Amino acid sequence: MVPTADERPLVLVAEDHDDARELYAAVLEDAGFEAVKASDGTQALALVRDRPPAILILDLSIPVVDGFEVARLVREDPATRPIRILVVTGHSERAVLDRATALDVDGILLKPVDAGEVVRRVRSLLARR
């Protein structure tokens, strides 16, 4: 039996690059997750508050409100603190990665990211819940 949309874990993909956002959402849907998408930090925060996802895939360089601020706000709010945050970034500088780690993210993937690895990491984070 295929799970209904309500039974599938919700994953929010916050990524400003259209191709990456669409690819991550498509592979997650194919893997049995429900995926919603945001192209900037304001959209991501609105979606998080409206219907908190199990996992937030978060690009640090999204516009309007950057990923660092999105992660900080998610972690500060007791209602959204349990959300697992998987950062996907093209920044490999130690200072950037340390700053993300300090925000208590649950994982970091460096771009370019294999879509299959996104699914594996999401499954791993859900298993640790």
Side-chain angles (χ1 to χ4, degrees):
M1 184 168 142
V2 176
T4 66
D6 292 338
E7 297 169 332
R8 297 182 300 157
L10 180 63
V11 179
L12 169 57
V13 179
E15 167 67 65
D16 62 323
H17 291 100
D18 296 341
D19 292 343
R21 185 177 59 250
E22 296 303 321
L23 176 62
Y24 300 158
V27 297
L28 289 162
E29 289 277 343
D30 287 347
F33 299 97
E34 180 183 0
V36 293
K37 301 171 278 190
S39 60
D40 66 50
T42 302
Q43 289 177 345
L45 288 169
L47 289 166
V48 161
R49 291 181 182 122
D50 181 52
R51 187 170 163 224
I55 307 280
L56 168 58
I57 296 175
L58 181 62
D59 179 8
L60 295 177
S61 299
I62 54 176
V64 185
V65 177
D66 71 23
F68 293 106
E69 184 67 3
V70 170
R72 185 186 69 76
L73 292 168
V74 166
R75 288 296 184 241
E76 280 184 355
D77 184 344
T80 58
R81 188 174 298 128
I83 296 170
R84 300 284 190 188
I85 301 174
L86 176 60
V87 166
V88 179
T89 184
H91 299 284
S92 61
E93 300 86 10
R94 175 59 36 205
V96 172
L97 300 177
D98 287 346
R99 185 174 169 205
T101 302
L103 291 167
D104 195 27
V105 300
D106 298 284
I108 299 174
L109 290 174
L110 296 178
K111 292 179 180 179
V113 176
D114 176 73
E117 182 62 20
V118 171
V119 172
R120 286 187 289 279
R121 292 294 289 273
V122 166
R123 284 184 175 140
S124 175
L125 289 173
L126 285 173
R128 294 189 334 203
R129 285 183 77 179

